[in-house]
Amino acid sequence: PSCRRYVAGGRCKSTARLEGKVVIVTGANTGIGKETARDLAQRGKVIIACRDIAKGEAAASEIRAETGNQQVIVKKLDLADTKSIREFAEKFLAEEKELHILINNAGVMLCPYSKTADGFEMHLGVNHLGHFLLTFLLLERLKQSAPARVVNVSSLAHHGGRIRFHDLHGEKSYNRGLAYCHSKLANVLFTRELARRLQGKGTKVTANALHPGSVSSELVRHSFVMTWLWKIFSFFLKTPCEGAQTSIYCAVAEELDSVTGQYFSDCQPAYVSPRGRDDETAKKLWSVSCELLGIQWD
């Protein structure tokens, strides 16, 4: 029905091949990430980076069987632990000489208040800081392999977010719905500042962010109410495959070869909140993130 087609939204029509190319998708053991990996595995080599190796292997063997591509590899990556992120990057750099597409897809949503191994609030720590560090550690390899792309999965929820520098880790006040929104705004601002820096240096690496749509996925598992609402309204939600389309589009579409610093939804440019276009906040978030992670990223 046309209503269902409307819900499904835009589709990535690109048939671009990725022979000899290497893609990393974080959190690709379920949901949108898994469907993104499934599509890209029909085009080239995919590394599934996830916390749960058993789930990752199950997803990978299903994708290998379906695509006939044996180059679907699972590596352990826990974005809630900088030690794990550094170990993942170190192993990857030792084993792979190239990296063409990095899809920062993994995320947590609506977690009860908790902290990462490094003491960061969970949403900010996993959704923003974890991917910030991962991108930092892999950036040289992306530059060497250019043209290359960084794709950050954000959300429409960024409209409800703000960067609360006075209380980044929610110790003074915490609302799990807002914490998710804040982290998704951080994704948009990170993308903007990363794109600006990469362009300024004339690298052939682009960075774009996207909203996948409201997708029926495991993300809402921490909330009984949301899980219940998701079930009732499932007809109006995208399937993970439909939700993966914009990630795939940002990763492979030829027309985006030199497009950077943009935000997409339904495979087309979308509106970014005023807070998501604030360059001063983007720069400040960048330096605060570097401080928190103990890195120097110029």
Side-chain angles (χ1 to χ4, degrees):
S2 58
C3 168
R4 187 68 208 110
R5 262 206 309 281
Y6 173 75
V7 170
R11 285 198 80 77
C12 175
K13 298 185 178 77
S14 168
T15 55
R17 306 289 308 153
L18 299 172
E19 271 105 3
K21 303 226 165 144
V22 182
V23 183
I24 293 175
V25 187
T26 68
N29 54 324
T30 67
I32 304 169
K34 182 177 170 186
E35 295 309 319
T36 303
R38 190 193 305 271
D39 179 286
L40 298 177
Q42 289 164 1
R43 307 169 190 252
K45 179 172 186 171
V46 177
I47 290 165
I48 290 177
C50 62
R51 194 179 47 189
D52 188 326
I53 291 287
K55 277 189 186 168
E57 281 299 350
S61 62
E62 184 188 310
I63 293 170
R64 283 184 215 118
E66 195 183 301
T67 60
N69 180 1
Q70 295 312 300
Q71 299 250 285
V72 180
I73 299 159
V74 180
K75 298 278 179 208
K76 185 169 172 62
L77 169 68
D78 183 353
L79 287 155
D81 183 352
T82 57
K83 189 162 156 280
S84 169
I85 299 169
R86 289 180 179 280
E87 276 167 13
F88 168 85
E90 211 173 298
K91 282 198 181 111
F92 174 83
L93 295 171
E95 289 164 16
E96 299 289 340
K97 292 297 154 244
E98 296 194 294
L99 174 60
H100 303 88
I101 302 166
L102 170 62
I103 303 182
N104 291 318
N105 162 84
V108 293
M109 180 178 180
L110 304 174
C111 315
Y113 189 75
S114 55
K115 287 189 165 177
T116 67
D118 302 87
F120 309 140
E121 185 276 315
M122 192 60 74
H123 292 91
L124 187 81
V126 171
N127 299 355
H128 168 60
L129 291 167
H131 282 128
F132 186 94
L133 178 60
L134 181 66
T135 307
F136 166 74
L137 295 170
L138 299 176
L139 193 63
E140 278 312 307
R141 191 56 40 98
L142 283 159
K143 285 180 187 168
Q144 290 158 10
S145 315
R149 301 182 186 191
V150 177
V151 177
N152 294 325
V153 179
S154 177
S155 166
L156 184 67
H158 85 268
H159 286 275
R162 50 175 55 206
I163 306 298
R164 303 165 65 246
F165 289 110
H166 65 286
D167 188 23
L168 268 184
H169 304 296
E171 286 153 335
K172 299 192 181 95
S173 72
Y174 180 74
N175 171 303
R176 56 193 188 167
L178 287 177
Y180 177 70
C181 296
H182 302 331
S183 72
K184 293 287 118 180
L185 172 60
N187 293 154
V188 170
L189 291 167
F190 167 47
T191 305
R192 189 176 181 87
E193 181 63 8
L194 177 62
R196 188 185 72 79
R197 287 164 175 257
L198 290 170
Q199 247 184 327
K201 292 210 166 69
T203 64
K204 287 253 185 280
V205 183
T206 61
N208 291 298
L210 66 107
H211 166 56
S214 299
V215 179
S216 177
S217 77
E218 287 182 16
L219 256 187
V220 295
R221 63 181 173 267
H222 290 295
S223 165
F224 171 73
V225 177
M226 286 288 277
T227 305
W228 182 71
L229 284 171
W230 245 227
K231 280 196 170 67
I232 295 175
F233 293 110
S234 62
F235 180 80
F236 298 103
L237 295 172
K238 292 187 181 193
T239 63
C241 177
E242 290 160 356
Q245 295 304 311
T246 307
S247 297
I248 297 161
Y249 174 75
C250 289
V252 302
E254 298 88 340
E255 64 266 32
L256 299 186
D257 275 346
S258 54
V259 173
T260 192
Q262 300 300 308
Y263 171 76
F264 294 86
S265 176
D266 279 329
C267 301
Q268 55 191 10
Y271 180 74
V272 177
S273 77
R275 287 200 184 106
R277 284 175 276 146
D278 185 330
D279 290 328
E280 286 316 301
T281 307
K283 290 187 177 84
K284 185 172 176 187
L285 178 65
W286 186 283
S287 64
V288 169
S289 301
C290 286
E291 252 167 72
L292 287 169
L293 293 162
I295 59 176
Q296 287 210 302
W297 188 353
D298 303 322

